[in-house]
Amino acid sequence: MQKIEINTPEPEKALPVLRDAIEREKLILSQSLTRTEERIQQLSKQLQVDIDSLLAGKVTHPENEDMDLLELEGELEIRRHLQEQLKSLEQLTICP
């Protein structure tokens, strides 16, 4: 792990603000992940698509479902991105 240094004249005020901001961001990411998961489940059920097969590129895109499948693929990418961000924040340690 690498360190990031923040210089401040009042660390006793900055530390709680940083901790609160990180916790709020984790909460927002968790809520976003929940909504994204719900949308993924809804779309995969509606389209009757196996997520693993879709990710492996084994699902054809019929013209009448192409936009919905693209939306599902987009939601999967959003989920991956949110998971990475949350993992990054969960590994963060503030060292006073």
Side-chain angles (χ1 to χ4, degrees):
M1 276 198 179
Q2 294 186 0
K3 272 190 172 178
I4 297 174
E5 189 174 317
I6 297 175
N7 294 317
T8 177
E10 300 179 283
E12 65 282 350
K13 290 182 180 177
L15 283 172
V17 171
L18 288 171
R19 285 188 179 108
D20 287 347
I22 291 167
E23 289 306 312
R24 275 193 312 273
E25 187 64 18
K26 284 193 227 178
L27 178 62
I28 289 168
L29 288 170
S30 293
Q31 291 170 341
S32 296
L33 259 171
T34 298
R35 283 192 303 276
T36 302
E37 281 292 341
E38 288 169 356
R39 185 67 179 143
I40 288 169
Q41 294 307 315
Q42 177 188 16
L43 283 168
S44 65
K45 184 178 178 181
Q46 171 190 330
L47 298 168
Q48 299 177 347
V49 173
D50 176 63
I51 299 298
D52 293 330
S53 297
L54 182 65
L55 290 173
K58 296 178 181 177
V59 175
T60 58
H61 285 228
E63 192 173 317
N64 63 329
E65 294 180 342
D66 189 47
M67 293 304 292
D68 291 330
L69 287 166
L70 288 173
E71 181 180 357
L72 179 54
E73 289 172 345
E75 292 293 336
L76 291 166
E77 180 61 25
I78 290 169
R79 178 180 70 181
R80 185 193 61 76
H81 181 70
L82 291 171
Q83 288 170 332
E84 286 176 1
Q85 287 183 318
L86 187 56
K87 182 180 177 184
S88 177
L89 284 179
E90 288 172 344
Q91 294 174 346
L92 193 77
T93 304
I94 296 179
C95 306

